[in-house]
Amino acid sequence: MTDILTKKEVSVWVKSPRTPRPPLLRYRRNTCLCLTNAGLFHYAGNNPVRYIDPDGRIDYVYKLDDKGNKTITKENDWGKYEFLHFDSYYVETPDGTRYKANSYETVTLYKNWSRIDTDFLNEKFRELINTADSKPTDIVRIFKQSLGGELDFKTKLRSDTLYLAGSVLYDANEAGNFMWAYFLSKKGYGPLQGILAQGGSLLGNQHRPDEWHDLKARYAGVLYNGKEVLQKISNTVRNMWEKIQNVVQD
């Protein structure tokens, strides 16, 4: 704030605590207010024109044109939830539809991406999962085929494409992790997917633990399988209820 009389930047703080004296209905000492440097723009070094984003949290929007060219813009729209905000990444198609990217790596790992597969879960995903599902799967197959083999789904996806799963975009590597975790969960090895993935990353070519964006993609695959299981249970219960109603009516 600014002192109206002195025109100096001031702040207010309590120098010492006040202790009450109940018999006298008063405090033992007065509150000392010391005024120094707590202007509304202190967070920006008192220069909000120059420092418009002091915490660095920005929304990055990658706008695609009809030819696959990308234009990057920045947006800041934190509102009252500013303190909860982290950098976010979006891809906007020529018709104005905007999709949220899984991570920074989604839009930067493969520089040549230029298209979005919005029907991924209904086409490519199902095709690859059904192919992998055509053979018996046990822990031995998972170990042998998850790195460069039949279950290494990312090698079967295009690096120039971002894949839409639910409401989130993934690059080929992340989409492969999504599919791999989904497949293991479907086969009953969901609780092991984290250990197996970390072991594969450490012992494989990367020689490092999975990064956060890989973890998010894998757990999204686990959740997608759980969603399908719940949907099947719901359909079974609904069918049973309809049969019971038909029997009662007859």
Side-chain angles (χ1 to χ4, degrees), residues 2-239:
T2 302
D3 187 342
I4 298 177
L5 297 179
T6 63
K7 304 299 182 181
K8 294 181 179 180
E9 292 296 320
V10 296
S11 65
V12 179
W13 57 280
V14 179
K15 183 178 181 181
S16 58
R18 297 191 297 173
T19 54
R21 298 183 66 183
L24 300 179
L25 298 177
R26 58 174 292 179
Y27 289 93
R28 291 180 182 274
R29 60 173 64 88
N30 294 329
T31 300
C32 177
L33 297 180
C34 300
L35 308 175
T36 64
N37 193 26
L40 295 178
F41 304 113
H42 179 65
Y43 72 95
N46 205 33
N47 190 346
V49 175
R50 179 176 180 183
Y51 302 107
I52 60 174
D53 184 26
D55 55 10
R57 296 180 294 193
I58 300 174
D59 289 342
Y60 293 88
V61 181
Y62 289 69
K63 296 184 178 181
L64 285 174
D65 62 17
D66 294 327
K67 297 181 179 180
N69 299 316
K70 298 182 286 288
T71 302
I72 306 174
T73 60
K74 298 179 182 180
E75 295 181 1
N76 299 293
D77 186 13
W78 311 323
K80 62 181 180 180
Y81 300 108
E82 175 181 349
F83 67 99
L84 295 175
H85 195 280
F86 295 95
D87 285 353
S88 298
Y89 302 86
Y90 300 88
V91 177
E92 187 174 297
T93 57
D95 64 359
T97 304
R98 183 174 295 187
Y99 302 100
K100 183 176 177 59
N102 180 55
S103 67
Y104 169 73
E105 284 75 9
T106 305
V107 291
T108 59
L109 182 61
Y110 299 107
K111 304 295 183 182
N112 65 327
W113 68 269
S114 59
R115 58 188 297 269
I116 297 175
D117 184 355
T118 57
D119 208 26
F120 168 61
L121 291 178
N122 295 322
E123 294 184 356
K124 193 65 175 180
F125 176 85
R126 287 299 164 197
E127 174 190 338
L128 295 177
I129 291 297
N130 290 339
T131 300
D133 207 12
S134 63
K135 296 181 180 180
T137 300
D138 54 17
I139 194 68
V140 175
R141 184 190 183 206
I142 293 173
F143 270 114
K144 288 184 176 181
Q145 300 297 328
S146 291
L147 289 176
E150 298 172 348
L151 303 182
D152 194 356
F153 297 105
K154 62 179 177 291
T155 62
K156 301 172 176 61
L157 299 175
R158 298 175 50 166
S159 63
D160 66 345
T161 302
L162 300 183
Y163 298 89
L164 183 66
S167 60
V168 180
L169 287 174
Y170 301 95
D171 63 27
N173 186 67
E174 294 168 338
N177 286 326
F178 178 96
M179 295 182 63
W180 183 79
Y182 168 89
F183 183 76
L184 263 63
S185 298
K186 183 179 180 182
K187 292 300 182 180
Y189 296 97
L192 297 178
Q193 58 88 17
I195 299 174
L196 295 174
Q198 295 293 356
S201 296
L202 291 171
L203 299 176
N205 296 329
Q206 297 179 0
H207 299 297
R208 60 161 178 79
D210 271 359
E211 297 182 16
W212 173 238
H213 61 98
D214 296 319
L215 293 174
K216 287 200 298 181
R218 286 196 287 103
Y219 283 109
V222 173
L223 290 175
Y224 186 66
N225 176 69
K227 180 180 177 181
E228 286 192 341
V229 171
L230 291 176
Q231 186 62 47
K232 290 179 180 178
I233 294 174
S234 176
N235 292 338
T236 301
V237 172
R238 185 182 298 109
N239 292 334

